[in-house]
Amino acid sequence: MAGTYRLIALDMDGTLLTTDKRVSSATSAALRRLSDFGACATIATGRAYRELEPLRHDLAPARYAVCANGAVVMDLWEHRSVSV
C-alpha cells in the first residue's frame, strides 16, 4: 500500500485536532511519516488561514491548505496564497 497515495487531504476539526483544538504529538509524527512514503499531506478546512497560523508548526510537513471552504489555497511554508 505504501506509495499508492500521492496526496492526502485532511480535515481539521474532528480529524487532526484534539477536543481542545490542538495537534497531538502522535498526529504530528504521522504527518511527518507521510512524506517518507512519498505522499503529500494537505489541510482541507472551512477555517480561515489566520486560524491555521498558530498551528502551522504542528501541522508540518503539510505544505498546502485549502481554506475558507475551498475559497483559497495557501502555501503554509511561504505564507502566501497560491489560488483565490
Side-chain angles (χ1 to χ4, degrees):
M1 192 93 167
T4 301
Y5 298 99
R6 305 296 281 158
L7 178 118
I8 298 170
L10 302 162
D11 182 46
M12 299 284 295
D13 298 306
T15 304
L16 289 178
L17 300 181
T18 62
T19 55
D20 60 349
K21 307 296 183 198
R22 299 176 65 95
V23 179
S24 72
S25 58
T27 298
S28 289
L31 289 172
R32 286 189 299 275
R33 283 193 308 271
L34 284 173
S35 63
D36 294 340
F37 291 107
C40 176
T42 300
I43 308 305
T45 184
R47 294 170 178 246
Y49 172 68
R50 70 180 180 279
E51 296 177 76
L52 298 182
E53 188 60 27
L55 301 169
R56 195 175 53 79
H57 176 74
D58 295 329
L59 295 172
R63 179 163 189 168
Y64 299 103
V66 180
C67 300
N69 291 318
V72 63
V73 178
M74 296 296 298
D75 184 323
L76 300 175
W77 294 357
E78 296 185 16
H79 312 282
R80 68 180 180 88
S81 171
V82 294
S83 171
V84 290

